[in-house]
Amino acid sequence: MQILRMVLMVTVGFVLAACGADGEPIQPTMSANIGVGSSGTHVGGGVGLRSGGFGVYLGL
């Protein structure tokens, strides 16, 4: 439970930092995929932020 809270706090921090409070806002990116194979189907996706050479991506 502690890890989940920490991840949530870091994510909120990145979102707040990307809101453009000090400069231009950063456009978030999003990806989603659906795969079908012999073991069944799976769904995945994620969100990310990129500013210059720095990027953060959270995916499932």
Short mmCIF file of all heavy atoms in Angstrom, two decimals:
data_model
loop_
_atom_site.label_atom_id
_atom_site.label_comp_id
_atom_site.label_asym_id
_atom_site.label_seq_id
_atom_site.Cartn_x
_atom_site.Cartn_y
_atom_site.Cartn_z
N MET A 1 0.82 -1.19 0.00
CA MET A 1 0.00 0.00 0.00
C MET A 1 0.87 1.26 0.00
O MET A 1 0.52 2.23 -0.63
CB MET A 1 -0.93 -0.06 1.21
CG MET A 1 -2.02 0.96 1.14
SD MET A 1 -3.11 0.59 -0.24
CE MET A 1 -4.55 1.37 0.28
N GLN A 2 2.00 1.21 0.70
CA GLN A 2 2.90 2.36 0.75
C GLN A 2 3.48 2.66 -0.63
O GLN A 2 3.62 3.82 -1.01
CB GLN A 2 4.05 2.11 1.74
CG GLN A 2 3.61 2.13 3.17
CD GLN A 2 3.43 3.56 3.67
OE1 GLN A 2 3.19 4.48 2.92
NE2 GLN A 2 3.53 3.73 4.96
N ILE A 3 3.83 1.62 -1.37
CA ILE A 3 4.40 1.80 -2.71
C ILE A 3 3.38 2.45 -3.62
O ILE A 3 3.71 3.35 -4.39
CB ILE A 3 4.85 0.42 -3.28
CG1 ILE A 3 5.92 -0.21 -2.41
CG2 ILE A 3 5.30 0.57 -4.72
CD1 ILE A 3 7.24 0.49 -2.44
N LEU A 4 2.12 2.01 -3.52
CA LEU A 4 1.06 2.58 -4.35
C LEU A 4 0.88 4.06 -4.06
O LEU A 4 0.74 4.87 -4.98
CB LEU A 4 -0.25 1.83 -4.12
CG LEU A 4 -1.44 2.29 -4.94
CD1 LEU A 4 -1.14 2.14 -6.43
CD2 LEU A 4 -2.68 1.52 -4.56
N ARG A 5 0.92 4.44 -2.80
CA ARG A 5 0.80 5.86 -2.43
C ARG A 5 1.97 6.67 -2.98
O ARG A 5 1.79 7.77 -3.47
CB ARG A 5 0.74 6.01 -0.92
CG ARG A 5 -0.57 5.60 -0.34
CD ARG A 5 -0.60 5.84 1.13
NE ARG A 5 -1.82 5.30 1.70
CZ ARG A 5 -2.04 5.18 2.98
NH1 ARG A 5 -1.12 5.55 3.85
NH2 ARG A 5 -3.16 4.67 3.40
N MET A 6 3.17 6.10 -2.90
CA MET A 6 4.35 6.80 -3.39
C MET A 6 4.27 7.00 -4.90
O MET A 6 4.56 8.08 -5.40
CB MET A 6 5.63 6.06 -3.01
CG MET A 6 6.90 6.79 -3.42
SD MET A 6 8.40 5.92 -2.96
CE MET A 6 8.29 5.96 -1.19
N VAL A 7 3.88 5.96 -5.63
CA VAL A 7 3.75 6.05 -7.08
C VAL A 7 2.69 7.08 -7.44
O VAL A 7 2.88 7.89 -8.34
CB VAL A 7 3.41 4.67 -7.69
CG1 VAL A 7 3.01 4.80 -9.14
CG2 VAL A 7 4.60 3.73 -7.54
N LEU A 8 1.57 7.09 -6.71
CA LEU A 8 0.52 8.06 -6.96
C LEU A 8 1.00 9.49 -6.70
O LEU A 8 0.74 10.39 -7.50
CB LEU A 8 -0.69 7.75 -6.09
CG LEU A 8 -1.90 8.65 -6.30
CD1 LEU A 8 -2.40 8.55 -7.73
CD2 LEU A 8 -3.00 8.29 -5.32
N MET A 9 1.75 9.70 -5.64
CA MET A 9 2.26 11.04 -5.34
C MET A 9 3.25 11.50 -6.40
O MET A 9 3.23 12.67 -6.81
CB MET A 9 2.91 11.06 -3.95
CG MET A 9 1.89 10.99 -2.86
SD MET A 9 2.48 10.99 -1.14
CE MET A 9 4.16 11.42 -1.19
N VAL A 10 4.11 10.63 -6.86
CA VAL A 10 5.08 10.99 -7.91
C VAL A 10 4.34 11.31 -9.21
O VAL A 10 4.65 12.29 -9.89
CB VAL A 10 6.10 9.85 -8.12
CG1 VAL A 10 6.93 10.09 -9.38
CG2 VAL A 10 7.00 9.74 -6.91
N THR A 11 3.32 10.52 -9.54
CA THR A 11 2.54 10.77 -10.75
C THR A 11 1.84 12.12 -10.68
O THR A 11 1.86 12.89 -11.64
CB THR A 11 1.51 9.64 -10.96
OG1 THR A 11 2.20 8.40 -11.02
CG2 THR A 11 0.71 9.86 -12.22
N VAL A 12 1.23 12.42 -9.55
CA VAL A 12 0.57 13.72 -9.37
C VAL A 12 1.60 14.84 -9.49
O VAL A 12 1.33 15.88 -10.10
CB VAL A 12 -0.17 13.77 -8.02
CG1 VAL A 12 -0.62 15.17 -7.69
CG2 VAL A 12 -1.36 12.83 -8.04
N GLY A 13 2.78 14.64 -8.95
CA GLY A 13 3.83 15.66 -9.07
C GLY A 13 4.22 15.92 -10.51
O GLY A 13 4.38 17.07 -10.91
N PHE A 14 4.36 14.87 -11.30
CA PHE A 14 4.69 15.04 -12.72
C PHE A 14 3.57 15.76 -13.46
O PHE A 14 3.81 16.61 -14.30
CB PHE A 14 4.98 13.70 -13.39
CG PHE A 14 6.36 13.18 -13.14
CD1 PHE A 14 6.55 11.94 -12.57
CD2 PHE A 14 7.48 13.93 -13.48
CE1 PHE A 14 7.82 11.45 -12.33
CE2 PHE A 14 8.75 13.46 -13.25
CZ PHE A 14 8.93 12.21 -12.68
N VAL A 15 2.33 15.41 -13.15
CA VAL A 15 1.19 16.06 -13.81
C VAL A 15 1.16 17.54 -13.46
O VAL A 15 0.96 18.39 -14.34
CB VAL A 15 -0.13 15.36 -13.43
CG1 VAL A 15 -1.33 16.17 -13.89
CG2 VAL A 15 -0.18 13.97 -14.02
N LEU A 16 1.36 17.87 -12.21
CA LEU A 16 1.37 19.28 -11.81
C LEU A 16 2.55 20.03 -12.43
O LEU A 16 2.41 21.19 -12.83
CB LEU A 16 1.41 19.41 -10.29
CG LEU A 16 0.13 19.03 -9.56
CD1 LEU A 16 0.34 19.10 -8.06
CD2 LEU A 16 -1.01 19.94 -9.98
N ALA A 17 3.69 19.38 -12.53
CA ALA A 17 4.85 20.02 -13.15
C ALA A 17 4.63 20.26 -14.63
O ALA A 17 5.17 21.20 -15.21
CB ALA A 17 6.10 19.17 -12.93
N ALA A 18 3.82 19.43 -15.26
CA ALA A 18 3.58 19.54 -16.69
C ALA A 18 2.44 20.49 -17.03
O ALA A 18 2.13 20.70 -18.20
CB ALA A 18 3.27 18.16 -17.27
N CYS A 19 1.81 21.09 -16.04
CA CYS A 19 0.64 21.92 -16.33
C CYS A 19 1.01 23.27 -16.92
O CYS A 19 0.13 24.03 -17.32
CB CYS A 19 -0.21 22.10 -15.07
SG CYS A 19 0.50 23.24 -13.87
N GLY A 20 2.27 23.61 -16.96
CA GLY A 20 2.68 24.86 -17.58
C GLY A 20 2.76 26.02 -16.59
O GLY A 20 2.70 27.17 -16.99
N ALA A 21 2.87 25.73 -15.31
CA ALA A 21 2.93 26.79 -14.31
C ALA A 21 4.16 27.68 -14.52
O ALA A 21 4.11 28.86 -14.22
CB ALA A 21 2.95 26.18 -12.92
N ASP A 22 5.23 27.12 -15.06
CA ASP A 22 6.44 27.90 -15.29
C ASP A 22 6.89 27.68 -16.74
O ASP A 22 7.87 27.01 -17.01
CB ASP A 22 7.53 27.47 -14.32
CG ASP A 22 8.77 28.35 -14.43
OD1 ASP A 22 8.62 29.51 -14.83
OD2 ASP A 22 9.86 27.86 -14.10
N GLY A 23 6.14 28.21 -17.68
CA GLY A 23 6.48 28.07 -19.08
C GLY A 23 5.36 27.42 -19.87
O GLY A 23 4.23 27.33 -19.42
N GLU A 24 5.72 26.97 -21.04
CA GLU A 24 4.73 26.35 -21.92
C GLU A 24 4.26 25.01 -21.37
O GLU A 24 5.06 24.27 -20.78
CB GLU A 24 5.34 26.12 -23.30
CG GLU A 24 5.64 27.39 -24.06
CD GLU A 24 4.37 28.13 -24.45
OE1 GLU A 24 3.38 27.47 -24.85
OE2 GLU A 24 4.36 29.35 -24.32
N PRO A 25 2.99 24.68 -21.54
CA PRO A 25 2.52 23.37 -21.09
C PRO A 25 3.10 22.24 -21.95
O PRO A 25 3.43 22.44 -23.11
CB PRO A 25 1.01 23.44 -21.26
CG PRO A 25 0.76 24.55 -22.20
CD PRO A 25 1.92 25.48 -22.09
N ILE A 26 3.23 21.08 -21.36
CA ILE A 26 3.76 19.91 -22.04
C ILE A 26 2.58 19.03 -22.44
O ILE A 26 1.73 18.70 -21.60
CB ILE A 26 4.71 19.13 -21.13
CG1 ILE A 26 5.89 20.01 -20.73
CG2 ILE A 26 5.20 17.87 -21.81
CD1 ILE A 26 6.78 19.41 -19.67
N GLN A 27 2.51 18.66 -23.69
CA GLN A 27 1.43 17.80 -24.19
C GLN A 27 1.71 16.36 -23.79
O GLN A 27 2.74 15.81 -24.18
CB GLN A 27 1.34 17.92 -25.71
CG GLN A 27 0.22 17.11 -26.31
CD GLN A 27 -1.13 17.71 -26.04
OE1 GLN A 27 -1.26 18.91 -25.87
NE2 GLN A 27 -2.13 16.88 -26.01
N PRO A 28 0.82 15.72 -23.03
CA PRO A 28 1.04 14.31 -22.68
C PRO A 28 0.78 13.41 -23.88
O PRO A 28 0.08 13.78 -24.82
CB PRO A 28 0.01 14.06 -21.58
CG PRO A 28 -1.05 15.08 -21.79
CD PRO A 28 -0.38 16.26 -22.41
N THR A 29 1.38 12.23 -23.85
CA THR A 29 1.15 11.24 -24.89
C THR A 29 0.43 10.04 -24.29
O THR A 29 0.53 9.79 -23.08
CB THR A 29 2.47 10.76 -25.52
OG1 THR A 29 3.28 10.19 -24.49
CG2 THR A 29 3.21 11.89 -26.17
N MET A 30 -0.30 9.32 -25.11
CA MET A 30 -1.03 8.17 -24.64
C MET A 30 -0.95 7.06 -25.68
O MET A 30 -0.96 7.34 -26.88
CB MET A 30 -2.49 8.52 -24.40
CG MET A 30 -3.33 7.41 -23.87
SD MET A 30 -4.99 7.97 -23.60
CE MET A 30 -5.86 6.50 -24.07
N SER A 31 -0.86 5.83 -25.22
CA SER A 31 -0.87 4.70 -26.15
C SER A 31 -1.77 3.61 -25.59
O SER A 31 -1.92 3.47 -24.39
CB SER A 31 0.53 4.16 -26.38
OG SER A 31 1.01 3.56 -25.20
N ALA A 32 -2.38 2.87 -26.48
CA ALA A 32 -3.22 1.74 -26.10
C ALA A 32 -3.03 0.65 -27.14
O ALA A 32 -2.83 0.93 -28.32
CB ALA A 32 -4.68 2.16 -26.04
N ASN A 33 -3.07 -0.59 -26.69
CA ASN A 33 -2.94 -1.69 -27.64
C ASN A 33 -3.76 -2.89 -27.17
O ASN A 33 -4.02 -3.06 -26.00
CB ASN A 33 -1.48 -2.08 -27.86
CG ASN A 33 -0.77 -2.42 -26.58
OD1 ASN A 33 -1.34 -3.02 -25.69
ND2 ASN A 33 0.48 -2.04 -26.48
N ILE A 34 -4.18 -3.67 -28.14
CA ILE A 34 -4.91 -4.90 -27.90
C ILE A 34 -4.20 -5.99 -28.69
O ILE A 34 -3.94 -5.82 -29.88
CB ILE A 34 -6.38 -4.80 -28.36
CG1 ILE A 34 -7.09 -3.68 -27.60
CG2 ILE A 34 -7.09 -6.12 -28.18
CD1 ILE A 34 -8.48 -3.40 -28.08
N GLY A 35 -3.87 -7.08 -28.03
CA GLY A 35 -3.19 -8.19 -28.70
C GLY A 35 -4.00 -9.47 -28.63
O GLY A 35 -4.68 -9.74 -27.64
N VAL A 36 -3.94 -10.24 -29.69
CA VAL A 36 -4.62 -11.53 -29.75
C VAL A 36 -3.59 -12.58 -30.10
O VAL A 36 -2.84 -12.42 -31.06
CB VAL A 36 -5.75 -11.51 -30.81
CG1 VAL A 36 -6.42 -12.87 -30.89
CG2 VAL A 36 -6.75 -10.41 -30.52
N GLY A 37 -3.52 -13.62 -29.30
CA GLY A 37 -2.55 -14.68 -29.55
C GLY A 37 -3.13 -16.03 -29.16
O GLY A 37 -4.30 -16.15 -28.81
N SER A 38 -2.28 -17.04 -29.17
CA SER A 38 -2.73 -18.39 -28.84
C SER A 38 -3.13 -18.52 -27.38
O SER A 38 -3.91 -19.40 -27.02
CB SER A 38 -1.63 -19.39 -29.19
OG SER A 38 -0.48 -19.11 -28.42
N SER A 39 -2.61 -17.66 -26.52
CA SER A 39 -2.96 -17.72 -25.10
C SER A 39 -4.14 -16.82 -24.74
O SER A 39 -4.49 -16.68 -23.58
CB SER A 39 -1.75 -17.34 -24.25
OG SER A 39 -1.35 -16.02 -24.53
N GLY A 40 -4.74 -16.16 -25.72
CA GLY A 40 -5.88 -15.29 -25.47
C GLY A 40 -5.61 -13.86 -25.89
O GLY A 40 -4.69 -13.59 -26.67
N THR A 41 -6.39 -12.97 -25.37
CA THR A 41 -6.23 -11.55 -25.70
C THR A 41 -5.66 -10.81 -24.50
O THR A 41 -5.82 -11.23 -23.36
CB THR A 41 -7.58 -10.90 -26.09
OG1 THR A 41 -8.47 -11.00 -24.98
CG2 THR A 41 -8.18 -11.58 -27.29
N HIS A 42 -4.99 -9.72 -24.77
CA HIS A 42 -4.49 -8.86 -23.70
C HIS A 42 -4.62 -7.40 -24.12
O HIS A 42 -4.60 -7.07 -25.30
CB HIS A 42 -3.05 -9.21 -23.33
CG HIS A 42 -2.07 -8.99 -24.42
ND1 HIS A 42 -1.85 -9.92 -25.42
CD2 HIS A 42 -1.26 -7.94 -24.71
CE1 HIS A 42 -0.94 -9.45 -26.26
NE2 HIS A 42 -0.57 -8.25 -25.85
N VAL A 43 -4.79 -6.54 -23.12
CA VAL A 43 -4.95 -5.11 -23.34
C VAL A 43 -3.85 -4.41 -22.56
O VAL A 43 -3.54 -4.77 -21.43
CB VAL A 43 -6.33 -4.63 -22.86
CG1 VAL A 43 -6.48 -3.13 -23.04
CG2 VAL A 43 -7.44 -5.37 -23.59
N GLY A 44 -3.26 -3.40 -23.14
CA GLY A 44 -2.22 -2.62 -22.48
C GLY A 44 -2.30 -1.17 -22.89
O GLY A 44 -3.01 -0.81 -23.82
N GLY A 45 -1.56 -0.36 -22.19
CA GLY A 45 -1.54 1.06 -22.53
C GLY A 45 -0.66 1.82 -21.57
O GLY A 45 -0.07 1.25 -20.65
N GLY A 46 -0.58 3.11 -21.77
CA GLY A 46 0.22 3.94 -20.90
C GLY A 46 0.11 5.41 -21.26
O GLY A 46 -0.48 5.77 -22.27
N VAL A 47 0.67 6.22 -20.40
CA VAL A 47 0.72 7.67 -20.62
C VAL A 47 2.15 8.13 -20.40
O VAL A 47 2.91 7.52 -19.67
CB VAL A 47 -0.25 8.44 -19.69
CG1 VAL A 47 -1.69 8.12 -20.00
CG2 VAL A 47 0.05 8.16 -18.23
N GLY A 48 2.51 9.22 -21.04
CA GLY A 48 3.87 9.73 -20.90
C GLY A 48 3.95 11.23 -21.09
O GLY A 48 3.03 11.86 -21.60
N LEU A 49 5.06 11.78 -20.66
CA LEU A 49 5.38 13.20 -20.83
C LEU A 49 6.80 13.29 -21.36
O LEU A 49 7.68 12.56 -20.91
CB LEU A 49 5.30 13.95 -19.50
CG LEU A 49 3.96 13.98 -18.79
CD1 LEU A 49 4.13 14.57 -17.40
CD2 LEU A 49 2.97 14.79 -19.58
N ARG A 50 7.04 14.20 -22.30
CA ARG A 50 8.37 14.39 -22.84
C ARG A 50 8.64 15.89 -22.94
O ARG A 50 7.83 16.64 -23.45
CB ARG A 50 8.53 13.75 -24.20
CG ARG A 50 9.92 14.00 -24.80
CD ARG A 50 10.20 13.14 -25.99
NE ARG A 50 10.32 11.73 -25.65
CZ ARG A 50 11.39 11.17 -25.09
NH1 ARG A 50 12.43 11.90 -24.77
NH2 ARG A 50 11.42 9.88 -24.85
N SER A 51 9.79 16.29 -22.43
CA SER A 51 10.22 17.68 -22.52
C SER A 51 11.71 17.68 -22.85
O SER A 51 12.53 17.31 -22.01
CB SER A 51 9.98 18.41 -21.20
OG SER A 51 10.45 19.74 -21.28
N GLY A 52 12.04 18.05 -24.08
CA GLY A 52 13.42 18.03 -24.51
C GLY A 52 13.96 16.61 -24.49
O GLY A 52 13.39 15.71 -25.07
N GLY A 53 15.06 16.40 -23.79
CA GLY A 53 15.67 15.08 -23.71
C GLY A 53 15.16 14.25 -22.56
O GLY A 53 15.59 13.13 -22.35
N PHE A 54 14.23 14.77 -21.77
CA PHE A 54 13.72 14.08 -20.59
C PHE A 54 12.32 13.57 -20.86
O PHE A 54 11.47 14.29 -21.37
CB PHE A 54 13.70 15.03 -19.40
CG PHE A 54 13.16 14.42 -18.14
CD1 PHE A 54 13.90 13.51 -17.42
CD2 PHE A 54 11.90 14.75 -17.68
CE1 PHE A 54 13.41 12.94 -16.26
CE2 PHE A 54 11.40 14.20 -16.52
CZ PHE A 54 12.15 13.29 -15.81
N GLY A 55 12.05 12.32 -20.53
CA GLY A 55 10.72 11.75 -20.71
C GLY A 55 10.37 10.79 -19.61
O GLY A 55 11.23 10.16 -19.01
N VAL A 56 9.08 10.71 -19.30
CA VAL A 56 8.56 9.80 -18.30
C VAL A 56 7.40 9.06 -18.93
O VAL A 56 6.54 9.67 -19.57
CB VAL A 56 8.08 10.56 -17.05
CG1 VAL A 56 7.42 9.61 -16.06
CG2 VAL A 56 9.20 11.30 -16.40
N TYR A 57 7.35 7.74 -18.76
CA TYR A 57 6.28 6.93 -19.33
C TYR A 57 5.82 5.92 -18.30
O TYR A 57 6.65 5.22 -17.68
CB TYR A 57 6.78 6.20 -20.58
CG TYR A 57 5.72 5.39 -21.27
CD1 TYR A 57 4.78 5.99 -22.09
CD2 TYR A 57 5.65 4.03 -21.08
CE1 TYR A 57 3.80 5.24 -22.71
CE2 TYR A 57 4.67 3.27 -21.69
CZ TYR A 57 3.74 3.88 -22.52
OH TYR A 57 2.77 3.15 -23.12
N LEU A 58 4.53 5.85 -18.07
CA LEU A 58 3.94 4.87 -17.17
C LEU A 58 3.03 3.98 -17.99
O LEU A 58 2.11 4.47 -18.64
CB LEU A 58 3.13 5.55 -16.05
CG LEU A 58 3.91 6.49 -15.14
CD1 LEU A 58 2.97 7.24 -14.22
CD2 LEU A 58 4.92 5.71 -14.32
N GLY A 59 3.29 2.69 -17.97
CA GLY A 59 2.49 1.78 -18.78
C GLY A 59 2.03 0.56 -18.02
O GLY A 59 2.57 0.21 -16.99
N LEU A 60 0.99 -0.06 -18.55
CA LEU A 60 0.45 -1.29 -17.98
C LEU A 60 0.55 -2.40 -19.00
O LEU A 60 0.38 -2.22 -20.14
CB LEU A 60 -1.02 -1.11 -17.59
CG LEU A 60 -1.29 -0.10 -16.50
CD1 LEU A 60 -2.79 0.10 -16.34
CD2 LEU A 60 -0.69 -0.56 -15.19
#
